[in-house]
Amino acid sequence: MKIYVNEELKDVSNESTLFSLKEQIKKDADLVIYNGFIVKEDLALKAGDSIVFIKKGEIPSKEEMEAQLVARHTPNVHEKVKKVSVGIAGLGGLGSNVAVSLARIGIGRLLLVDFDIVEPSNLNRQQYFVKHIGMKKTDALKEIISWCNPFVKVDTVDTFIDENNTADIFNDVDIIVEAFDNPVSKALITNEVLTKMKNKKIVAASGMAGYFSSNSICTTKINDSFYLVGDRENGAGPGMGLMAPRVSIAANHEANAVLRIIMGEE
């Protein structure tokens, strides 16, 4: 009969039990998940069952990781996602969250660009941890991504982005994500991409400060190359801080916009 083992279809004997299969497949597994539930007793198997054997702390092979990503994704997503390269300009509240979300869906390559280091004030909304304080954001985020999906190709550029280097830095990516805190830098990279890199698509953000309604943050297609996320009103300023909830919402709007571009749902 046919069952799924670690998300791959396998032929097994009709007399197979859960624990006899564990002995064959992964005898040192700490967790046995049977049709979505952790079980500790032996069970007779039936056709169509889904079994996952997990050894705590063990990194799955690339093939195992891909199989499990495919199983959790909407059909036909992973084959497209893994072929795409995304550049992220700025690795703060927006960029660090966008990068982790894209890594979790198995994006093929990330180009992470920032010149800054992790500071204590960053921890209120950015993906970093206390241990990363003082590290270059490029190095810290690359490490974090390796913890959730070590099979994503990650390249880093530790530099300040301006009109003189934008085209060279992002020349070989498919999609660019603008993720700066500074409105001047936001405008600069957006203008550079739209005027000088017309074969690229850019996803930018504006307006995610404070604790206004989550529903005021939206994604708008400005033209065939430009997507803008945010409420377009509430930028950071005195009395209006940047905090994890709305910043993360905006970041994941950006990540989802990238995914929709990849899937042709623009």
Side-chain angles (χ1 to χ4, degrees):
M1 63 179 170
K2 294 183 182 297
I3 64 171
Y4 289 89
V5 180
N6 289 0
E7 308 295 354
E8 292 187 356
L9 193 61
K10 291 187 178 292
D11 277 310
V12 301
S13 164
N14 289 339
E15 288 74 42
S16 292
T17 69
L18 200 54
F19 286 1
S20 67
L21 189 64
K22 175 187 170 184
E23 284 296 309
Q24 297 172 38
I25 303 292
K26 199 174 192 67
K27 61 173 62 179
D28 61 349
D30 300 304
L31 296 176
V32 178
I33 301 175
Y34 175 73
N35 293 335
F37 295 91
I38 296 174
V39 296
K40 296 183 178 180
E41 69 277 10
D42 199 10
L43 298 169
L45 299 179
K46 60 184 185 299
D49 280 345
S50 177
I51 318 297
V52 179
F53 297 118
I54 298 173
K55 180 171 176 57
K56 293 178 182 178
E58 181 180 80
I59 298 175
S61 69
K62 185 174 183 179
E63 292 72 23
E64 289 173 330
M65 175 77 84
E66 186 168 76
Q68 296 198 35
L69 284 173
V70 170
R72 299 299 291 178
H73 286 343
T74 306
N76 305 314
V77 169
H78 191 67
E79 282 302 312
K80 294 183 178 181
V81 166
K82 71 179 183 179
K83 297 174 183 176
V84 174
S85 176
V86 177
I88 301 180
L91 305 178
L94 288 171
S96 63
N97 282 288
V98 171
V100 169
S101 284
L102 293 178
R104 289 189 185 282
I105 65 170
I107 203 77
R109 173 179 175 251
L110 288 171
L111 175 64
L112 308 178
V113 189
D114 203 307
F115 70 97
D116 212 351
I117 64 170
V118 178
E119 301 177 12
S121 63
N122 298 152
L123 303 186
N124 86 319
R125 68 196 184 282
Q126 302 181 18
Q127 279 285 344
Y128 309 107
F129 299 87
V130 171
K131 67 164 287 185
H132 295 121
I133 292 172
M135 284 180 66
K136 289 287 187 180
K137 287 185 176 179
T138 47
D139 294 336
L141 191 55
K142 185 172 183 176
E143 179 180 75
I144 291 165
I145 289 169
S146 75
W147 294 341
C148 60
N149 189 343
F151 304 113
V152 173
K153 179 174 173 51
V154 179
D155 294 317
T156 62
V157 177
D158 179 19
T159 193
F160 183 84
I161 298 171
D162 60 27
E163 66 273 16
N164 298 313
N165 59 15
T166 298
D168 287 339
I169 291 171
F170 296 106
N171 179 60
D172 63 346
V173 302
D174 302 302
I175 302 167
I176 298 165
V177 175
E178 177 279 306
F180 293 129
D181 291 340
N182 185 330
V184 174
S185 296
K186 286 177 175 291
L188 183 147
I189 189 171
T190 301
N191 288 333
E192 284 293 305
V193 173
L194 293 177
T195 59
K196 299 178 183 177
M197 306 173 71
K198 296 186 178 180
N199 62 325
K200 307 292 183 187
K201 294 182 185 291
I202 183 167
V203 180
S206 178
M208 69 221 59
Y211 49 90
F212 301 96
S213 171
S214 302
N215 297 330
S216 64
I217 294 174
C218 60
T219 303
T220 304
K221 182 177 181 179
I222 305 299
N223 58 43
D224 286 343
S225 299
F226 182 28
Y227 301 76
L228 185 60
V229 167
D231 64 18
R232 304 201 211 177
E233 295 180 8
N234 297 297
M240 182 120 37
L242 291 168
M243 295 180 287
R246 291 188 97 233
V247 171
S248 298
I249 290 166
N252 282 291
H253 265 265
E254 287 196 288
N256 195 53
V258 169
L259 178 57
R260 286 178 58 79
I261 291 168
I262 293 169
M263 297 307 297
E265 298 289 337
E266 303 177 50

